[in-house]
């Protein structure tokens, strides 16, 4: 890739133009960090930031695949834009010019495959910068549900049916621990006041409703 704009922009598509140019500049700026054989290394990634990028990457593959099947192309593009934003954040904190990064390489490699039906010329040009293979002959990417799964959940806590707090908790939290955290929440305690807790309804991994009277 070169630093200049790779194409002429027709009027009325400024948003997608900005996205494609951001992608082009991002790849050019961090081209030395790309690891062509990232599939052989990515499963050993343990750094929390890299794991978070991998999670976003696989969530994006899942979203874009489903959106295309439902002919929801605008949301598919939005998902790819979100992944690029995540890559920008990761690059600013993690990438160095003298080191190749498997998680970022995976994100870029899968993003180019996802982008190929929407912007084939740019996707193929960027792909060819790193690979000898033809991008249109590459298989559609698949996602790993285990990698895509969130580590934490956001659980709303209600008092008599009204939202009073949101808790960020591990996905494997028990109902008992979720109830304890909900009752210990400062906003919840403030709304309970001197009232008596009559019942605590825990909907596993969904919500907590505290009934007072």
């Amino acid at each position: 890739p070169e630093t200049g704009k790779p194409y002429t922009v027709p009027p009325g598509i400024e948003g997608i133009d900005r996205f494609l140019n951001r992608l082009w500049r991002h790849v050019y700026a961090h081209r030395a960090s790309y690891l062509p054989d990232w599939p052989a290394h990515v499963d050993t990634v343990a750094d929390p930031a890299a794991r978070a990028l991998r999670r976003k990457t696989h969530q994006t593959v899942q979203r874009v695949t489903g959106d295309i099947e439902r002919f929801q192309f605008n949301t598919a593009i939005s998902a790819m834009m979100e992944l690029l934003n995540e890559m920008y954040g990761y690059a600013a904190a993690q990438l160095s010019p003298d080191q190749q990064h498997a998680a970022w390489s995976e994100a870029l490699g899968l993003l180019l495959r996802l982008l190929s039906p929407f912007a084939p010329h740019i996707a193929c040009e960027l792909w060819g910068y790193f690979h000898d293979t033809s991008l249109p002959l590459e298989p559609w990417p698949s996602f790993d549900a285990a990698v895509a799964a969130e580590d934490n959940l956001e659980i709303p806590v209600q008092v008599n049916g009204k939202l009073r707090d949101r808790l960020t908790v591990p996905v494997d939290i028990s109902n008992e621990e979720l109830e304890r955290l909900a009752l210990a929440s400062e906003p919840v305690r403030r709304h309970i006041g001197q009232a008596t807790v009559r019942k605590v309804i825990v909907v596993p991994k969904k919500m907590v409703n505290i009934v007072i009277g």
Side-chain angles (χ1 to χ4, degrees):
E2 298 177 356
T3 54
K5 283 191 175 184
Y7 53 88
T8 301
V9 183
I13 58 167
E14 290 83 1
I16 193 65
D17 169 55
R18 285 193 298 269
F19 165 57
L20 293 175
N21 273 285
R22 288 184 74 229
L23 173 62
W24 191 276
R25 291 192 299 269
H26 184 68
V27 173
Y28 182 83
H30 303 290
R31 60 195 183 280
S33 297
Y34 189 78
L35 182 64
D37 63 338
W38 59 261
H41 304 275
V42 75
D43 287 336
T44 63
V45 168
D47 177 75
R51 289 179 58 200
L53 178 59
R54 293 202 68 210
R55 181 184 306 116
K56 184 65 172 181
T57 298
H58 285 257
Q59 289 174 347
T60 302
V61 173
Q62 182 179 17
R63 286 180 57 189
V64 172
T65 301
D67 287 344
I68 290 176
E69 291 173 350
R70 294 185 292 271
F71 297 96
Q72 296 175 347
F73 304 123
N74 286 343
T75 53
I77 294 172
S78 295
M80 288 185 274
M81 290 179 175
E82 291 178 14
L83 176 57
L84 181 59
N85 289 338
E86 194 86 5
M87 292 168 64
Y88 260 83
Y90 179 83
Q94 303 292 328
L95 294 193
S96 56
D98 58 346
Q99 184 178 0
Q100 293 176 312
H101 290 254
W104 180 82
S105 302
E106 177 187 40
L108 177 57
L110 296 185
L111 176 57
L112 292 179
R113 293 191 204 177
L114 296 175
L115 182 63
S116 180
F118 299 90
H121 296 91
I122 289 179
C124 288
E125 183 73 16
L126 293 176
W127 180 268
Y129 191 75
F130 302 110
H131 299 275
D132 294 330
T133 59
S134 174
L135 180 55
L137 298 180
E138 291 293 318
W140 184 255
S142 59
F143 68 92
D144 186 325
V147 177
E150 293 285 354
D151 290 336
N152 297 311
L153 296 171
E154 185 178 82
I155 302 294
V157 182
Q158 299 178 343
V159 178
N160 283 354
K162 293 184 178 180
L163 180 66
R164 298 306 183 187
D165 198 5
R166 295 182 183 272
L167 303 176
T168 300
V169 299
V171 294
D172 57 352
I173 191 171
S174 66
N175 290 350
E176 293 75 16
E177 179 65 7
L178 187 55
E179 178 179 333
R180 186 190 70 79
L181 291 175
L183 291 172
S185 161
E186 184 59 36
V188 169
R189 292 171 59 190
R190 186 167 59 250
H191 282 90
I192 292 176
Q194 300 301 314
T196 300
V197 175
R198 303 294 184 183
K199 183 187 299 184
V200 179
I201 304 169
V202 178
V203 181
K205 302 183 187 302
K206 296 293 184 181
M207 65 169 291
V208 179
N209 186 33
I210 301 170
V211 180
I212 63 175

